[in-house]
PDB file of all heavy atoms in Angstrom:
ATOM      1  N   ILE A   1      53.904  15.793 -28.859  1.00 98.00           N
ATOM      2  CA  ILE A   1      53.795  14.808 -27.821  1.00 98.00           C
ATOM      3  C   ILE A   1      52.361  14.227 -27.903  1.00 98.00           C
ATOM      4  O   ILE A   1      52.147  13.143 -27.229  1.00 98.00           O
ATOM      5  CB  ILE A   1      54.172  15.161 -26.463  1.00 98.00           C
ATOM      6  CG1 ILE A   1      53.276  16.259 -25.984  1.00 98.00           C
ATOM      7  CG2 ILE A   1      55.688  15.679 -26.409  1.00 98.00           C
ATOM      8  CD1 ILE A   1      53.343  16.496 -24.372  1.00 98.00           C
ATOM      9  N   TYR A   2      51.337  14.924 -28.370  1.00 98.00           N
ATOM     10  CA  TYR A   2      49.999  14.407 -28.405  1.00 98.00           C
ATOM     11  C   TYR A   2      49.909  13.020 -29.286  1.00 98.00           C
ATOM     12  O   TYR A   2      50.488  12.990 -30.420  1.00 98.00           O
ATOM     13  CB  TYR A   2      49.003  15.461 -28.786  1.00 98.00           C
ATOM     14  CG  TYR A   2      49.002  15.938 -30.141  1.00 98.00           C
ATOM     15  CD1 TYR A   2      48.331  15.361 -31.166  1.00 98.00           C
ATOM     16  CD2 TYR A   2      49.570  17.160 -30.405  1.00 98.00           C
ATOM     17  CE1 TYR A   2      48.309  15.871 -32.496  1.00 98.00           C
ATOM     18  CE2 TYR A   2      49.679  17.672 -31.643  1.00 98.00           C
ATOM     19  CZ  TYR A   2      48.996  17.029 -32.740  1.00 98.00           C
ATOM     20  OH  TYR A   2      48.915  17.700 -33.977  1.00 98.00           O
ATOM     21  N   ASN A   3      49.214  12.138 -28.879  1.00 97.00           N
ATOM     22  CA  ASN A   3      49.045  10.783 -29.510  1.00 97.00           C
ATOM     23  C   ASN A   3      47.794  10.096 -29.013  1.00 97.00           C
ATOM     24  O   ASN A   3      47.282  10.470 -28.026  1.00 97.00           O
ATOM     25  CB  ASN A   3      50.235   9.985 -29.306  1.00 97.00           C
ATOM     26  CG  ASN A   3      50.467   9.707 -27.855  1.00 97.00           C
ATOM     27  OD1 ASN A   3      49.914   8.697 -27.272  1.00 97.00           O
ATOM     28  ND2 ASN A   3      51.389  10.498 -27.240  1.00 97.00           N
ATOM     29  N   ALA A   4      47.438   8.959 -29.691  1.00 97.00           N
ATOM     30  CA  ALA A   4      46.269   8.302 -29.165  1.00 97.00           C
ATOM     31  C   ALA A   4      46.629   6.768 -29.375  1.00 97.00           C
ATOM     32  O   ALA A   4      47.457   6.364 -30.278  1.00 97.00           O
ATOM     33  CB  ALA A   4      45.011   8.597 -29.899  1.00 97.00           C
ATOM     34  N   PHE A   5      46.138   5.831 -28.596  1.00 97.00           N
ATOM     35  CA  PHE A   5      46.323   4.426 -28.797  1.00 97.00           C
ATOM     36  C   PHE A   5      45.096   3.719 -28.177  1.00 97.00           C
ATOM     37  O   PHE A   5      44.455   4.259 -27.278  1.00 97.00           O
ATOM     38  CB  PHE A   5      47.542   3.940 -28.302  1.00 97.00           C
ATOM     39  CG  PHE A   5      47.782   4.085 -26.835  1.00 97.00           C
ATOM     40  CD1 PHE A   5      47.425   3.049 -25.864  1.00 97.00           C
ATOM     41  CD2 PHE A   5      48.291   5.205 -26.209  1.00 97.00           C
ATOM     42  CE1 PHE A   5      47.563   3.187 -24.477  1.00 97.00           C
ATOM     43  CE2 PHE A   5      48.517   5.415 -24.885  1.00 97.00           C
ATOM     44  CZ  PHE A   5      48.065   4.460 -23.975  1.00 97.00           C
ATOM     45  N   ASP A   6      44.908   2.531 -28.700  1.00 97.00           N
ATOM     46  CA  ASP A   6      43.839   1.562 -28.168  1.00 97.00           C
ATOM     47  C   ASP A   6      44.302   0.423 -27.381  1.00 97.00           C
ATOM     48  O   ASP A   6      45.306  -0.231 -27.667  1.00 97.00           O
ATOM     49  CB  ASP A   6      42.844   1.096 -29.273  1.00 97.00           C
ATOM     50  CG  ASP A   6      42.087   2.295 -29.982  1.00 97.00           C
ATOM     51  OD1 ASP A   6      42.100   3.237 -29.490  1.00 97.00           O
ATOM     52  OD2 ASP A   6      41.904   2.005 -31.301  1.00 97.00           O
ATOM     53  N   VAL A   7      43.465   0.047 -26.333  1.00 97.00           N
ATOM     54  CA  VAL A   7      43.615  -1.243 -25.706  1.00 97.00           C
ATOM     55  C   VAL A   7      42.585  -2.145 -26.109  1.00 97.00           C
ATOM     56  O   VAL A   7      41.460  -2.151 -25.419  1.00 97.00           O
ATOM     57  CB  VAL A   7      43.845  -0.955 -24.142  1.00 97.00           C
ATOM     58  CG1 VAL A   7      43.964  -2.460 -23.453  1.00 97.00           C
ATOM     59  CG2 VAL A   7      44.891  -0.092 -23.822  1.00 97.00           C
ATOM     60  N   GLY A   8      42.712  -2.863 -27.208  1.00 96.00           N
ATOM     61  CA  GLY A   8      41.645  -3.682 -27.743  1.00 96.00           C
ATOM     62  C   GLY A   8      40.403  -2.855 -28.023  1.00 96.00           C
ATOM     63  O   GLY A   8      40.647  -1.634 -28.481  1.00 96.00           O
ATOM     64  N   ARG A   9      39.247  -3.483 -27.813  1.00 96.00           N
ATOM     65  CA  ARG A   9      38.044  -2.654 -27.997  1.00 96.00           C
ATOM     66  C   ARG A   9      37.531  -2.130 -26.572  1.00 96.00           C
ATOM     67  O   ARG A   9      36.481  -1.430 -26.580  1.00 96.00           O
ATOM     68  CB  ARG A   9      36.966  -3.554 -28.643  1.00 96.00           C
ATOM     69  CG  ARG A   9      37.231  -4.015 -29.961  1.00 96.00           C
ATOM     70  CD  ARG A   9      35.990  -4.555 -30.673  1.00 96.00           C
ATOM     71  NE  ARG A   9      35.593  -5.849 -29.957  1.00 96.00           N
ATOM     72  CZ  ARG A   9      36.140  -7.025 -30.262  1.00 96.00           C
ATOM     73  NH1 ARG A   9      37.003  -7.180 -31.229  1.00 96.00           N
ATOM     74  NH2 ARG A   9      35.730  -8.159 -29.652  1.00 96.00           N
ATOM     75  N   LEU A  10      38.386  -2.169 -25.560  1.00 98.00           N
ATOM     76  CA  LEU A  10      37.950  -1.871 -24.211  1.00 98.00           C
ATOM     77  C   LEU A  10      38.215  -0.251 -24.010  1.00 98.00           C
ATOM     78  O   LEU A  10      37.423   0.358 -23.444  1.00 98.00           O
ATOM     79  CB  LEU A  10      38.714  -2.559 -23.203  1.00 98.00           C
ATOM     80  CG  LEU A  10      38.387  -2.267 -21.692  1.00 98.00           C
ATOM     81  CD1 LEU A  10      36.832  -2.572 -21.407  1.00 98.00           C
ATOM     82  CD2 LEU A  10      39.240  -2.940 -20.854  1.00 98.00           C
ATOM     83  N   LEU A  11      39.394   0.214 -24.419  1.00 98.00           N
ATOM     84  CA  LEU A  11      39.784   1.515 -24.263  1.00 98.00           C
ATOM     85  C   LEU A  11      40.433   2.243 -25.268  1.00 98.00           C
ATOM     86  O   LEU A  11      41.207   1.649 -26.033  1.00 98.00           O
ATOM     87  CB  LEU A  11      40.826   1.447 -23.071  1.00 98.00           C
ATOM     88  CG  LEU A  11      40.375   1.213 -21.530  1.00 98.00           C
ATOM     89  CD1 LEU A  11      41.480   0.541 -20.729  1.00 98.00           C
ATOM     90  CD2 LEU A  11      39.973   2.530 -20.847  1.00 98.00           C
ATOM     91  N   ARG A  12      40.179   3.487 -25.338  1.00 98.00           N
ATOM     92  CA  ARG A  12      40.969   4.428 -26.184  1.00 98.00           C
ATOM     93  C   ARG A  12      41.604   5.533 -25.394  1.00 98.00           C
ATOM     94  O   ARG A  12      40.822   6.170 -24.675  1.00 98.00           O
ATOM     95  CB  ARG A  12      40.274   4.916 -27.373  1.00 98.00           C
ATOM     96  CG  ARG A  12      40.948   6.091 -28.051  1.00 98.00           C
ATOM     97  CD  ARG A  12      40.361   6.427 -29.510  1.00 98.00           C
ATOM     98  NE  ARG A  12      40.733   5.356 -30.502  1.00 98.00           N
ATOM     99  CZ  ARG A  12      40.339   5.423 -31.700  1.00 98.00           C
ATOM    100  NH1 ARG A  12      39.781   6.591 -32.253  1.00 98.00           N
ATOM    101  NH2 ARG A  12      40.649   4.442 -32.523  1.00 98.00           N
ATOM    102  N   PHE A  13      42.888   5.708 -25.460  1.00 98.00           N
ATOM    103  CA  PHE A  13      43.578   6.765 -24.730  1.00 98.00           C
ATOM    104  C   PHE A  13      43.919   7.860 -25.709  1.00 98.00           C
ATOM    105  O   PHE A  13      44.615   7.581 -26.748  1.00 98.00           O
ATOM    106  CB  PHE A  13      44.710   6.208 -23.969  1.00 98.00           C
ATOM    107  CG  PHE A  13      44.466   5.297 -22.839  1.00 98.00           C
ATOM    108  CD1 PHE A  13      44.624   4.017 -22.857  1.00 98.00           C
ATOM    109  CD2 PHE A  13      43.994   5.781 -21.567  1.00 98.00           C
ATOM    110  CE1 PHE A  13      44.401   3.181 -21.955  1.00 98.00           C
ATOM    111  CE2 PHE A  13      43.727   5.049 -20.561  1.00 98.00           C
ATOM    112  CZ  PHE A  13      43.970   3.655 -20.743  1.00 98.00           C
ATOM    113  N   VAL A  14      43.510   9.153 -25.411  1.00 98.00           N
ATOM    114  CA  VAL A  14      43.845  10.291 -26.309  1.00 98.00           C
ATOM    115  C   VAL A  14      44.540  11.199 -25.405  1.00 98.00           C
ATOM    116  O   VAL A  14      44.011  11.797 -24.480  1.00 98.00           O
ATOM    117  CB  VAL A  14      42.521  10.929 -26.796  1.00 98.00           C
ATOM    118  CG1 VAL A  14      42.919  12.151 -27.689  1.00 98.00           C
ATOM    119  CG2 VAL A  14      41.567   9.951 -27.649  1.00 98.00           C
ATOM    120  N   ASN A  15      45.902  11.474 -25.690  1.00 98.00           N
ATOM    121  CA  ASN A  15      46.862  12.196 -24.836  1.00 98.00           C
ATOM    122  C   ASN A  15      47.100  13.479 -25.452  1.00 98.00           C
ATOM    123  O   ASN A  15      47.761  13.453 -26.553  1.00 98.00           O
ATOM    124  CB  ASN A  15      48.034  11.332 -24.619  1.00 98.00           C
ATOM    125  CG  ASN A  15      47.718   9.892 -24.200  1.00 98.00           C
ATOM    126  OD1 ASN A  15      47.071   9.638 -23.166  1.00 98.00           O
ATOM    127  ND2 ASN A  15      48.217   8.944 -25.182  1.00 98.00           N
ATOM    128  N   VAL A  16      46.893  14.608 -24.801  1.00 98.00           N
ATOM    129  CA  VAL A  16      47.046  15.959 -25.421  1.00 98.00           C
ATOM    130  C   VAL A  16      47.901  16.799 -24.793  1.00 98.00           C
ATOM    131  O   VAL A  16      48.356  16.601 -23.643  1.00 98.00           O
ATOM    132  CB  VAL A  16      45.581  16.626 -25.439  1.00 98.00           C
ATOM    133  CG1 VAL A  16      44.498  15.972 -26.243  1.00 98.00           C
ATOM    134  CG2 VAL A  16      45.097  16.873 -24.108  1.00 98.00           C
ATOM    135  N   ASP A  17      48.356  17.824 -25.486  1.00 98.00           N
ATOM    136  CA  ASP A  17      49.328  18.791 -24.908  1.00 98.00           C
ATOM    137  C   ASP A  17      48.635  20.120 -24.820  1.00 98.00           C
ATOM    138  O   ASP A  17      48.148  20.750 -25.782  1.00 98.00           O
ATOM    139  CB  ASP A  17      50.468  18.967 -26.041  1.00 98.00           C
ATOM    140  CG  ASP A  17      51.507  19.966 -25.778  1.00 98.00           C
ATOM    141  OD1 ASP A  17      51.189  20.809 -24.832  1.00 98.00           O
ATOM    142  OD2 ASP A  17      52.268  20.235 -26.616  1.00 98.00           O
ATOM    143  N   THR A  18      48.403  20.595 -23.611  1.00 98.00           N
ATOM    144  CA  THR A  18      47.619  21.786 -23.275  1.00 98.00           C
ATOM    145  C   THR A  18      48.621  23.102 -23.099  1.00 98.00           C
ATOM    146  O   THR A  18      48.002  24.128 -22.779  1.00 98.00           O
ATOM    147  CB  THR A  18      46.766  21.596 -21.923  1.00 98.00           C
ATOM    148  OG1 THR A  18      47.687  21.403 -20.852  1.00 98.00           O
ATOM    149  CG2 THR A  18      45.931  20.501 -22.122  1.00 98.00           C
ATOM    150  N   ARG A  19      49.841  22.900 -23.415  1.00 98.00           N
ATOM    151  CA  ARG A  19      50.764  24.095 -23.303  1.00 98.00           C
ATOM    152  C   ARG A  19      51.240  24.696 -24.610  1.00 98.00           C
ATOM    153  O   ARG A  19      51.264  25.822 -24.626  1.00 98.00           O
ATOM    154  CB  ARG A  19      51.940  23.641 -22.406  1.00 98.00           C
ATOM    155  CG  ARG A  19      51.567  23.535 -20.918  1.00 98.00           C
ATOM    156  CD  ARG A  19      51.347  24.762 -20.228  1.00 98.00           C
ATOM    157  NE  ARG A  19      50.615  24.664 -19.011  1.00 98.00           N
ATOM    158  CZ  ARG A  19      50.172  25.480 -18.219  1.00 98.00           C
ATOM    159  NH1 ARG A  19      50.213  26.733 -18.639  1.00 98.00           N
ATOM    160  NH2 ARG A  19      49.560  25.224 -17.176  1.00 98.00           N
ATOM    161  N   GLN A  20      51.806  23.894 -25.418  1.00 98.00           N
ATOM    162  CA  GLN A  20      52.620  24.370 -26.557  1.00 98.00           C
ATOM    163  C   GLN A  20      51.700  25.142 -27.534  1.00 98.00           C
ATOM    164  O   GLN A  20      52.281  26.107 -28.067  1.00 98.00           O
ATOM    165  CB  GLN A  20      53.131  23.136 -27.226  1.00 98.00           C
ATOM    166  CG  GLN A  20      54.069  23.600 -28.472  1.00 98.00           C
ATOM    167  CD  GLN A  20      54.751  22.229 -29.056  1.00 98.00           C
ATOM    168  OE1 GLN A  20      55.549  22.463 -29.999  1.00 98.00           O
ATOM    169  NE2 GLN A  20      54.551  21.115 -28.528  1.00 98.00           N
ATOM    170  N   TYR A  21      50.462  24.724 -27.737  1.00 98.00           N
ATOM    171  CA  TYR A  21      49.681  25.450 -28.782  1.00 98.00           C
ATOM    172  C   TYR A  21      48.501  26.341 -28.155  1.00 98.00           C
ATOM    173  O   TYR A  21      47.865  26.979 -29.088  1.00 98.00           O
ATOM    174  CB  TYR A  21      48.931  24.281 -29.636  1.00 98.00           C
ATOM    175  CG  TYR A  21      49.977  23.221 -30.055  1.00 98.00           C
ATOM    176  CD1 TYR A  21      50.009  21.947 -29.371  1.00 98.00           C
ATOM    177  CD2 TYR A  21      50.881  23.373 -31.002  1.00 98.00           C
ATOM    178  CE1 TYR A  21      50.787  20.866 -29.807  1.00 98.00           C
ATOM    179  CE2 TYR A  21      51.807  22.402 -31.373  1.00 98.00           C
ATOM    180  CZ  TYR A  21      51.651  21.144 -30.676  1.00 98.00           C
ATOM    181  OH  TYR A  21      52.580  20.168 -31.132  1.00 98.00           O
ATOM    182  N   ARG A  22      48.335  26.585 -27.031  1.00 97.00           N
ATOM    183  CA  ARG A  22      47.362  27.310 -26.353  1.00 97.00           C
ATOM    184  C   ARG A  22      47.460  28.764 -26.655  1.00 97.00           C
ATOM    185  O   ARG A  22      48.603  29.224 -26.912  1.00 97.00           O
ATOM    186  CB  ARG A  22      47.165  27.068 -24.796  1.00 97.00           C
ATOM    187  CG  ARG A  22      48.267  27.597 -23.973  1.00 97.00           C
ATOM    188  CD  ARG A  22      48.029  27.767 -22.594  1.00 97.00           C
ATOM    189  NE  ARG A  22      47.722  26.543 -21.921  1.00 97.00           N
ATOM    190  CZ  ARG A  22      47.297  26.515 -20.608  1.00 97.00           C
ATOM    191  NH1 ARG A  22      47.070  27.650 -19.911  1.00 97.00           N
ATOM    192  NH2 ARG A  22      47.047  25.368 -20.043  1.00 97.00           N
ATOM    193  N   ASP A  23      46.377  29.477 -26.731  1.00 95.00           N
ATOM    194  CA  ASP A  23      46.398  30.888 -26.968  1.00 95.00           C
ATOM    195  C   ASP A  23      46.879  31.586 -25.596  1.00 95.00           C
ATOM    196  O   ASP A  23      46.865  30.877 -24.539  1.00 95.00           O
ATOM    197  CB  ASP A  23      44.841  31.373 -27.213  1.00 95.00           C
ATOM    198  CG  ASP A  23      44.394  30.975 -28.690  1.00 95.00           C
ATOM    199  OD1 ASP A  23      45.393  31.137 -29.484  1.00 95.00           O
ATOM    200  OD2 ASP A  23      43.350  30.697 -28.699  1.00 95.00           O
ATOM    201  N   GLY A  24      47.301  32.777 -25.727  1.00 91.00           N
ATOM    202  CA  GLY A  24      47.973  33.439 -24.560  1.00 91.00           C
ATOM    203  C   GLY A  24      47.033  33.743 -23.435  1.00 91.00           C
ATOM    204  O   GLY A  24      45.792  33.684 -23.565  1.00 91.00           O
ATOM    205  N   VAL A  25      47.471  34.234 -22.390  1.00 89.00           N
ATOM    206  CA  VAL A  25      46.758  34.498 -21.210  1.00 89.00           C
ATOM    207  C   VAL A  25      45.972  35.787 -21.476  1.00 89.00           C
ATOM    208  O   VAL A  25      46.490  36.784 -22.070  1.00 89.00           O
ATOM    209  CB  VAL A  25      47.724  34.758 -19.849  1.00 89.00           C
ATOM    210  CG1 VAL A  25      46.884  35.217 -18.674  1.00 89.00           C
ATOM    211  CG2 VAL A  25      48.465  33.530 -19.702  1.00 89.00           C
ATOM    212  N   VAL A  26      44.714  35.880 -20.984  1.00 90.00           N
ATOM    213  CA  VAL A  26      43.890  37.107 -20.952  1.00 90.00           C
ATOM    214  C   VAL A  26      43.438  37.427 -19.658  1.00 90.00           C
ATOM    215  O   VAL A  26      43.420  36.611 -18.721  1.00 90.00           O
ATOM    216  CB  VAL A  26      42.755  36.938 -21.913  1.00 90.00           C
ATOM    217  CG1 VAL A  26      43.049  36.711 -23.312  1.00 90.00           C
ATOM    218  CG2 VAL A  26      41.789  35.906 -21.407  1.00 90.00           C
ATOM    219  N   ASP A  27      43.187  38.667 -19.408  1.00 91.00           N
ATOM    220  CA  ASP A  27      42.599  39.141 -18.034  1.00 91.00           C
ATOM    221  C   ASP A  27      41.279  38.482 -17.887  1.00 91.00           C
ATOM    222  O   ASP A  27      40.383  38.674 -18.677  1.00 91.00           O
ATOM    223  CB  ASP A  27      42.609  40.703 -18.118  1.00 91.00           C
ATOM    224  CG  ASP A  27      42.278  41.322 -16.832  1.00 91.00           C
ATOM    225  OD1 ASP A  27      41.415  40.689 -15.992  1.00 91.00           O
ATOM    226  OD2 ASP A  27      42.779  42.297 -16.359  1.00 91.00           O
ATOM    227  N   PRO A  28      41.012  37.835 -16.770  1.00 91.00           N
ATOM    228  CA  PRO A  28      39.716  37.180 -16.420  1.00 91.00           C
ATOM    229  C   PRO A  28      38.562  38.157 -16.466  1.00 91.00           C
ATOM    230  O   PRO A  28      37.487  37.773 -16.585  1.00 91.00           O
ATOM    231  CB  PRO A  28      39.969  36.478 -15.112  1.00 91.00           C
ATOM    232  CG  PRO A  28      41.164  37.146 -14.472  1.00 91.00           C
ATOM    233  CD  PRO A  28      41.944  37.596 -15.607  1.00 91.00           C
ATOM    234  N   SER A  29      38.937  39.472 -16.219  1.00 91.00           N
ATOM    235  CA  SER A  29      37.754  40.541 -16.236  1.00 91.00           C
ATOM    236  C   SER A  29      37.312  40.760 -17.613  1.00 91.00           C
ATOM    237  O   SER A  29      36.349  41.346 -17.870  1.00 91.00           O
ATOM    238  CB  SER A  29      38.131  41.723 -15.493  1.00 91.00           C
ATOM    239  OG  SER A  29      39.304  42.317 -16.138  1.00 91.00           O
ATOM    240  N   ASP A  30      38.196  40.564 -18.624  1.00 93.00           N
ATOM    241  CA  ASP A  30      37.762  40.563 -20.108  1.00 93.00           C
ATOM    242  C   ASP A  30      37.025  39.499 -20.608  1.00 93.00           C
ATOM    243  O   ASP A  30      37.423  38.611 -21.246  1.00 93.00           O
ATOM    244  CB  ASP A  30      39.087  40.834 -20.876  1.00 93.00           C
ATOM    245  CG  ASP A  30      38.755  41.311 -22.325  1.00 93.00           C
ATOM    246  OD1 ASP A  30      37.646  41.310 -22.724  1.00 93.00           O
ATOM    247  OD2 ASP A  30      39.763  41.800 -22.923  1.00 93.00           O
ATOM    248  N   VAL A  31      35.756  39.509 -20.295  1.00 93.00           N
ATOM    249  CA  VAL A  31      34.864  38.481 -20.541  1.00 93.00           C
ATOM    250  C   VAL A  31      34.715  38.269 -21.992  1.00 93.00           C
ATOM    251  O   VAL A  31      34.675  37.096 -22.566  1.00 93.00           O
ATOM    252  CB  VAL A  31      33.350  38.812 -19.950  1.00 93.00           C
ATOM    253  CG1 VAL A  31      32.392  37.648 -20.347  1.00 93.00           C
ATOM    254  CG2 VAL A  31      33.465  39.005 -18.502  1.00 93.00           C
ATOM    255  N   GLU A  32      34.612  39.247 -22.862  1.00 94.00           N
ATOM    256  CA  GLU A  32      34.593  39.131 -24.309  1.00 94.00           C
ATOM    257  C   GLU A  32      35.804  38.285 -24.798  1.00 94.00           C
ATOM    258  O   GLU A  32      35.690  37.384 -25.568  1.00 94.00           O
ATOM    259  CB  GLU A  32      34.599  40.472 -24.976  1.00 94.00           C
ATOM    260  CG  GLU A  32      34.344  40.361 -26.585  1.00 94.00           C
ATOM    261  CD  GLU A  32      34.220  41.735 -27.108  1.00 94.00           C
ATOM    262  OE1 GLU A  32      34.160  42.759 -26.431  1.00 94.00           O
ATOM    263  OE2 GLU A  32      34.244  41.735 -28.523  1.00 94.00           O
TER     264      GLU A  32
END
């Protein structure tokens, strides 16, 4: 679903997927 498009030279929209490809959950206390 990620994609990008331009509105002339005024705007570029970059739309991303932060769920499907992310690494798994880690314990917040595991700083390393």
Side-chain angles (χ1 to χ4, degrees):
I1 65 165
Y2 64 86
N3 62 82
F5 62 91
D6 294 340
V7 179
R9 295 192 296 271
L10 182 65
L11 284 153
R12 169 164 289 184
F13 292 103
V14 181
N15 313 299
V16 297
D17 173 357
T18 64
R19 286 291 163 186
Q20 182 176 184
Y21 313 106
R22 66 162 64 186
D23 289 318
V25 174
V26 300
D27 189 322
S29 65
D30 190 344
V31 177
E32 182 179 353

